[in-house]
């Protein structure tokens, strides 16, 4: 179904050029606050704002390609309207929050695109996701399913009725459901529609002929 995609794991990460990496190192090693190196004025440390902004633009552009326009966490298409929830805008999301882990502000594996609901203050926001820290990002332990380091299906399974279940009692699965509100009714309903559409090989629930659907599967409605 066009409005939802189950993303098992992100297939690749952003690669920075040597020049971009040099700017990033200067930003990270400076005394400036994380929010400032990400979006504020950086002239004082010898990085031109437009050079930093070109990295920020590149992050979004590349991740849009990698994620093909879908939120990694909830799986919905970024421009999909969900009832009164409104348009799902795109955020460049720091998996480990930049406010807590400045060193990982530009780390490729720490960046993912998320919708404004998943990344909003009601859900993930600035919550800590690292349970044990290491200077090498890949050696950190995370308390949620990690888009690059984990396979989603090792932790969560998508059930026929659109609900999610923790695989082998996965704590990461449980935390991910809670942190992103994945058990909310509108998420369950949209995943259920996705499963129905997939089984009938149509792009949207509105393409289904209701009569045919009732004949073929009375249990669906
Ligand atoms: Zn989302």
């Amino acid at each position: 179904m066009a409005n939802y995609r189950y993303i098992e794991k992100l297939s690749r990460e952003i690669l920075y050029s040597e020049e971009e990496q040099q700017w990033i190192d200067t930003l990270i090693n400076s005394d400036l606050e994380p929010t400032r190196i990400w979006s504020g004025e950086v002239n004082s440390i010898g990085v031109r704002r437009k050079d930093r902004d070109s990295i920020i633009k590149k992050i979004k552009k590349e991740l849009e390609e990698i994620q093909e326009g879908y939120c990694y966490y909830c799986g919905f298409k970024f421009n999909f309207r969900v009832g009164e929830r409104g348009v799902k805008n795109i955020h460049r999301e720091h998996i480990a929050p930049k406010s807590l882990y400045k060193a990982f502000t530009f780390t490729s594996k720490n960046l993912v695109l998320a919708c404004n609901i998943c990344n909003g203050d009601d859900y993930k926001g600035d919550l800590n996701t690292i349970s044990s820290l290491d200077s090498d990002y890949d050696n950190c332990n995370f308390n949620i399913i990690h888009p690059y380091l984990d396979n989603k299906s090792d932790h969560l399974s998508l059930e026929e009725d659109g609900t999610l279940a923790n695989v082998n009692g996965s704590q990461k699965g449980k935390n991910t459901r809670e942190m992103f509100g994945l058990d909310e009714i509108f998420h369950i309903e949209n995943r259920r529609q996705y499963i129905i559409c997939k089984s009938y090989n149509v792009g949207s629930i509105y393409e289904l002929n209701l009569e045919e659907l009732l004949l073929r599967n009375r249990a669906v409605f």
Side-chain angles (χ1 to χ4, degrees):
M1 181 181 164
N3 287 328
Y4 176 88
R5 184 167 298 178
Y6 177 90
I7 304 174
E8 169 75 352
K9 190 179 197 172
L10 295 186
S11 56
R12 62 184 171 87
E13 61 193 90
I14 304 157
L15 291 176
Y16 297 117
S17 69
E18 220 168 286
E19 198 180 22
E20 286 166 339
Q21 193 56 56
Q22 279 172 8
W23 293 329
I24 289 170
D25 291 344
T26 307
L27 291 162
I28 294 296
N29 294 324
S30 74
D31 292 334
L32 301 182
E33 292 287 308
T35 44
R36 188 152 160 206
I37 62 170
W38 183 251
S39 56
E41 196 51 68
V42 286
N43 271 335
S44 62
I45 54 162
V47 178
R48 288 184 301 180
R49 190 177 183 133
K50 74 174 178 94
D51 291 334
R52 191 275 322 277
D53 287 352
S54 75
I55 298 175
I56 304 278
K57 272 188 202 139
K58 171 185 172 152
I59 288 168
K60 187 172 178 193
K61 189 171 172 284
E62 289 216 10
L63 285 173
E64 274 182 327
E65 281 174 28
I66 294 167
Q67 296 177 221
E68 297 178 4
Y70 293 83
C71 176
Y72 165 79
Y73 296 117
C74 68
F76 289 110
K77 205 169 184 174
F78 286 125
N79 61 3
F80 182 43
R81 283 170 187 275
V82 185
E84 76 270 22
R85 290 284 179 158
V87 176
K88 295 197 154 198
N89 294 318
I90 305 175
H91 289 196
R92 296 170 188 82
E93 208 273 301
H94 291 86
I95 298 157
K98 63 181 182 304
S99 58
L100 300 175
Y101 304 102
K102 182 183 169 187
F104 299 145
T105 301
F106 290 90
T107 303
S108 296
K109 280 186 186 157
N110 196 42
L111 291 161
V112 67
L113 296 183
C115 71
N116 60 329
I117 295 176
C118 285
N119 195 40
D121 290 339
D122 285 350
Y123 296 110
K124 182 169 181 291
D126 266 357
L127 291 175
N128 193 4
T129 53
I130 293 186
S131 47
S132 79
L133 179 64
D134 191 283
S135 56
D136 182 351
Y137 188 84
D138 287 10
N139 291 334
C140 291
N141 286 319
F142 292 84
N143 57 25
I144 56 167
I145 303 170
H146 194 287
Y148 298 90
L149 305 175
D150 292 315
N151 291 314
K152 201 179 275 175
S153 60
D154 289 343
H155 301 278
L156 287 179
S157 67
L158 178 53
E159 307 293 297
E160 283 298 305
D161 60 1
T163 57
L164 295 169
N166 304 329
V167 174
N168 298 324
S170 168
Q171 189 63 40
K172 277 190 181 188
K174 187 172 177 283
N175 294 345
T176 302
R177 286 164 70 180
E178 278 172 16
M179 192 173 284
F180 298 99
L182 300 181
D183 297 327
E184 288 223 22
I185 298 294
F186 75 94
H187 277 312
I188 295 171
E189 176 56 22
N190 280 299
R191 288 191 300 256
R192 192 179 72 90
Q193 287 187 16
Y194 159 77
I195 291 163
I196 294 169
C197 290
K198 216 169 113 187
S199 71
Y200 288 97
N201 199 24
V202 292
S204 143
I205 198 101
Y206 305 109
E207 288 174 34
L208 286 174
N209 178 321
L210 185 59
E211 217 170 311
E212 182 191 359
L213 186 59
L214 287 170
L215 277 173
R216 284 167 70 173
N217 187 354
R218 287 189 163 271
V220 168
F221 287 107

